[in-house]
Amino acid sequence: MLSTVINFFWDFFKRILQYFFRIEAIHHIIGEAEHRIISALTNDEGDLDLNRTGVSDSSVDKLAAGLKTNRSLQKISMNDCNLTPKGVAIMGKAIKGNRFLKEIKFNYNNIGASGVGKIAKALRVNCCLLSIELSSNKIGDDGLKQLAGALKVNKSLQKISLKLNHIGNDGAAILAAALKVNNTLKTIDLMGNIIGDDGAGELAGALKVNHNLEMIDLGNNYIRSDGAEKLAEALKVNKRLQYLRIWRNSSGTTGAEKFAEALKVNQSLHVLYLKGNSIGAYGAEKIAEALKVNQCLKEIDLSENNIGNDGIRRIAEALEVNNFLTMINLGKNNIGPNGTSKLAEALKKHPSLERIYLNSNYISTGGSQKLAEALKFNRVLKLIDLSSNIIRDYGAERLAAALKVNQRLESIYFGCNSIRAYGARMLADALKVNRFLKTIDLRCNNIGDIGAGELAQALKVNQSLQVVLLMNNDISDDGATELAAALKAGHSLQKIKSIFQDFVLTSNHIRGDHAEMLIGRMRQSIQKIDLACNHVSIDGALKLAEALCFNHRAGFGIEKRQEIDLRYNKIDHNGRKKVENFLKMFNATEDCQIKILT
């Protein structure tokens, strides 16, 4: 009997070594990119990820040859993989004749105008591709001219991403002419280009006649009040566009006023992003007037606009009338306790608002008390972001009392609020009775080991939390060990799968000699554990890997994809190779993807 067991384990160990060295040999001979290509083509995989692999021309040649007969591959990602002009030409020819690819990504390859010309020729012929991404490729106006010609005749493409491509007014005019003819495109991303008022005017003209486009992103361009006014005029006529993102364009109060006029008559727009446009209190007042009559808009982003207490009062008055908004972003708007008080009153009875972002204001303890009172009555809100608001322990205590009563909120963000151990204790008491919260963010506070211990006690009984963010909290080995022990004592995996998806302890003071306790004591199906920026050594990293593998083999790791982030610790190049080699052997034999980022 003993000899049989010994022989079994010896054979098992030999298979591990054989598989490991075979994989290493393959990678050494053909490279990572070619290995992935061969795997995708021979195993009839639907997706091929070649991102950041440094694809050689010969590898691209093999992919193109395989695409001639392959019928299963539908998505290819070749972002930031140093495509050469020859490689782009090869892929262009492959796309031209392929009838099965649905999505392809060429972002961050600097293919230039000549490279995009090869892609454009393919798009003139291809009749099946639905989405193409060409962001950050230095396409410019010359390259867009070639691409626009293809868009005039292409009959399948629904989405194109052209962000960060040095496209200016001339390029926007060329694209606008194509949009007047094209009847398939639904989404265009032009974020981060150099389009000004003239280019915006040309695009606005296209929106007046185009009846298919649903989303356009013009964020972070150079569109000011004149361009904003033209786009607003187009919104009065267009009956199809649902998403307009014009964030960080300095359209000013005039632009806000014109968009407000459009919102009073537009019946199609669902999402409007006006973040960072310097609309001020006056612009907020005009938008608020529009929200009182608009019955279509679902989401609006007014963050980074310095609307202040006066502006938020107007928005709050609108929310008392508007019953259709589901998301509003009011972050970075210089809102204080007085403005927050008015907003809190509106939140008590709002029937549809599910997400509100109030981060980076000056709500303080007084404003948080009013919000806490609102949360006791609100039955709709799912997410509230209160990061960076000087809430401190007193505010956390008031909000914790609300969490004991609220039965709807799923995510709450307390990051950067000077919350200490006492505030953590109050929140922990709330978590013991709250059965609805899934995400709590306490990053960048100062709860320390005492606060971590209080949260650990709550985790032993809480059955709903999935994401806990505790990075930058002055937690050492003692606090981390208590948290790990709590996860072991907590949920029953026979009844609950994947209770925790993310466990984040970045930038604390956890050392390598105790780090493995975080895994060794856990009996949870955790997808990701973040221990970046601590003091974990190579010995600690190997112990973490061993513990994670042991848990998986023992049946505690239900998820096949698990990850530990150990970047920016005390692990050198040789240490990284040791961890990688250990996990390669385990993953190859256990059919899972355990990954440690070093």
Side-chain angles (χ1 to χ4, degrees):
M1 179 66 179
L2 181 60
S3 61
T4 303
V5 173
I6 293 172
N7 289 333
F8 171 79
F9 280 107
W10 174 243
D11 291 338
F12 178 71
F13 181 69
K14 285 194 295 183
R15 285 200 300 273
I16 291 176
L17 292 177
Q18 290 169 357
Y19 193 94
F20 171 67
F21 285 119
R22 179 171 64 85
I23 294 296
E24 283 296 293
I26 290 173
H27 280 242
H28 179 71
I29 294 169
I30 67 175
E32 177 67 21
E34 197 158 327
H35 170 68
R36 293 186 187 183
I37 291 169
I38 293 171
S39 175
L41 294 175
T42 56
N43 296 324
D44 292 329
E45 296 174 8
D47 297 358
L48 173 59
D49 183 352
L50 295 173
N51 297 336
R52 296 177 292 279
T53 55
V55 183
S56 65
D57 291 342
S58 62
S59 296
V60 177
D61 226 352
K62 287 182 174 60
L63 174 58
L67 287 175
K68 292 179 180 178
T69 56
N70 184 280
R71 296 191 174 192
S72 59
L73 203 58
Q74 295 188 359
K75 297 180 182 180
I76 298 178
S77 295
M78 303 182 76
N79 300 327
D80 193 18
C81 60
N82 299 318
L83 275 176
T84 66
K86 181 180 178 181
V88 174
I90 295 169
M91 284 304 299
K93 291 180 181 178
I95 295 170
K96 187 183 294 185
N98 186 280
R99 294 184 294 114
F100 301 96
L101 271 178
K102 303 298 181 185
E103 178 182 318
I104 191 160
K105 299 178 182 180
F106 287 126
N107 302 317
Y108 307 103
N109 277 296
N110 295 326
I111 65 176
S114 60
V116 84
K118 304 292 193 304
I119 303 299
K121 288 180 180 179
L123 293 178
R124 287 177 178 269
V125 180
N126 183 285
C127 60
C128 297
L129 198 66
L130 299 179
S131 173
I132 187 166
E133 296 185 14
L134 295 163
S135 300
S136 193
N137 273 300
K138 297 182 179 178
I139 291 173
D141 292 344
D142 292 337
L144 190 58
K145 183 177 181 179
Q146 301 178 70
L147 201 57
L151 293 179
K152 288 181 178 180
V153 297
N154 182 280
K155 302 298 182 184
S156 66
L157 205 63
Q158 296 180 8
K159 175 185 175 182
I160 186 166
S161 179
L162 297 168
K163 60 186 178 183
L164 302 169
N165 266 306
H166 305 288
I167 297 169
N169 289 330
D170 292 342
I174 294 167
L175 178 61
L179 290 178
K180 291 178 181 179
V181 180
N182 181 284
N183 58 8
T184 59
L185 270 177
K186 294 182 179 180
T187 299
I188 296 181
D189 191 344
L190 291 166
M191 184 273 288
N193 284 291
I194 51 176
I195 299 170
D197 288 340
D198 291 341
E202 295 291 341
L203 291 169
L207 289 177
K208 290 180 179 180
V209 297
N210 183 290
H211 301 297
N212 299 283
L213 203 63
E214 295 178 355
M215 193 281 275
I216 185 167
D217 191 338
L218 291 166
N220 207 19
N221 277 279
Y222 293 88
I223 302 169
R224 302 189 185 278
S225 58
D226 288 346
E229 182 175 357
K230 293 171 184 176
L231 288 168
E233 287 299 316
L235 288 181
K236 293 179 180 179
V237 180
N238 186 287
K239 297 181 180 180
R240 183 67 173 178
L241 196 70
Q242 297 177 23
Y243 302 83
L244 175 59
R245 298 186 173 111
I246 190 169
W247 48 278
R248 289 183 182 163
N249 269 287
S250 300
S251 60
T253 56
T254 302
E257 187 173 13
K258 297 302 179 182
F259 279 122
E261 292 174 4
L263 288 177
K264 291 178 181 178
V265 296
N266 182 280
Q267 297 298 316
S268 66
L269 201 67
H270 291 167
V271 176
L272 177 61
Y273 281 19
L274 288 173
K275 170 182 180 177
N277 270 286
S278 304
I279 72 172
Y282 178 78
E285 179 182 350
K286 294 301 176 182
I287 294 293
E289 291 173 2
L291 292 179
K292 290 178 180 179
V293 296
N294 183 284
Q295 298 183 6
C296 187
L297 201 67
K298 304 295 183 184
E299 299 183 8
I300 188 165
D301 187 344
L302 298 173
S303 59
E304 299 181 22
N305 272 301
N306 195 31
I307 69 175
N309 287 329
D310 291 338
I312 195 62
R313 286 192 192 101
R314 300 296 186 182
I315 296 295
E317 290 171 2
L319 290 178
E320 291 178 353
V321 179
N322 182 292
N323 294 328
F324 303 95
L325 273 182
T326 60
M327 188 285 287
I328 187 166
N329 191 336
L330 297 165
K332 293 186 179 181
N333 264 308
N334 200 26
I335 300 168
N338 292 334
T340 306
S341 178
K342 184 67 175 176
L343 179 64
E345 286 300 316
L347 289 179
K348 285 182 181 180
K349 50 190 175 183
H350 199 282
S352 63
L353 198 64
E354 295 181 345
R355 292 175 292 146
I356 185 166
Y357 298 87
L358 293 165
N359 54 290
S360 304
N361 283 293
Y362 300 95
I363 291 173
S364 73
T365 55
S368 58
Q369 181 175 352
K370 296 297 183 181
L371 286 173
E373 293 172 4
L375 289 178
K376 292 178 181 179
F377 292 93
N378 185 283
R379 296 291 182 269
V380 179
L381 203 64
K382 293 182 179 179
L383 180 151
I384 185 167
D385 188 347
L386 299 171
S387 304
S388 302
N389 268 294
I390 327 175
I391 287 174
R392 297 196 170 93
D393 286 346
Y394 179 82
E397 181 179 13
R398 293 295 181 267
L399 288 161
L403 290 179
K404 293 180 179 179
V405 180
N406 184 284
Q407 298 183 8
R408 185 64 173 176
L409 203 64
E410 295 179 356
S411 301
I412 190 163
Y413 294 83
F414 288 113
C416 303
N417 269 302
S418 301
I419 296 173
R420 298 178 179 273
Y422 178 78
R425 176 182 161 193
M426 295 298 101
L427 290 168
D429 288 343
L431 292 178
K432 291 175 183 177
V433 297
N434 183 290
R435 288 175 171 77
F436 302 93
L437 206 63
K438 296 179 180 179
T439 298
I440 186 166
D441 178 3
L442 286 165
R443 75 183 96 183
C444 302
N445 283 288
N446 192 21
I447 70 171
D449 288 337
I450 296 175
E454 296 288 351
L455 289 171
Q457 296 304 311
L459 295 182
K460 291 180 180 180
V461 296
N462 183 284
Q463 296 288 315
S464 64
L465 275 175
Q466 294 181 359
V467 179
V468 178
L469 305 177
L470 295 174
M471 64 275 277
N472 237 330
N473 261 296
D474 200 28
I475 299 171
S476 69
D477 291 334
D478 293 339
T481 302
E482 284 199 62
L483 288 165
L487 295 182
K488 175 185 176 182
H491 316 284
S492 169
L493 282 179
Q494 287 75 21
K495 296 180 181 179
I496 301 173
K497 179 181 178 182
S498 191
I499 287 298
F500 275 86
Q501 295 175 351
D502 294 305
F503 191 57
V504 183
L505 285 164
T506 311
S507 300
N508 282 288
H509 302 289
I510 301 167
R511 301 194 308 274
D513 53 350
H514 285 81
E516 77 276 8
M517 292 183 183
L518 285 170
I519 303 299
R521 291 194 175 187
M522 287 179 187
R523 297 295 183 260
Q524 299 295 330
S525 181
I526 296 178
Q527 294 176 3
K528 182 176 180 180
I529 299 169
D530 195 336
L531 287 167
C533 302
N534 278 285
H535 304 286
V536 180
S537 66
I538 176 55
D539 290 336
L542 284 171
K543 288 178 180 178
L544 278 164
E546 290 170 2
L548 193 60
C549 293
F550 173 81
N551 277 4
H552 195 283
R553 187 171 290 157
F556 301 126
I558 296 175
E559 298 291 336
K560 288 187 176 182
R561 299 177 66 90
Q562 293 181 303
E563 180 178 295
I564 305 178
D565 191 342
L566 290 177
R567 288 174 292 187
Y568 311 112
N569 277 282
K570 297 181 178 180
I571 305 171
D572 59 15
H573 175 73
N574 292 331
R576 285 195 292 271
K577 294 302 293 183
K578 287 181 181 179
V579 174
E580 289 171 5
N581 291 340
F582 177 84
L583 290 177
K584 278 180 181 178
M585 287 192 292
F586 182 82
N587 290 337
T589 56
E590 296 291 329
D591 186 28
C592 61
Q593 297 182 47
I594 294 176
K595 185 177 181 182
I596 293 188
L597 304 177
T598 55

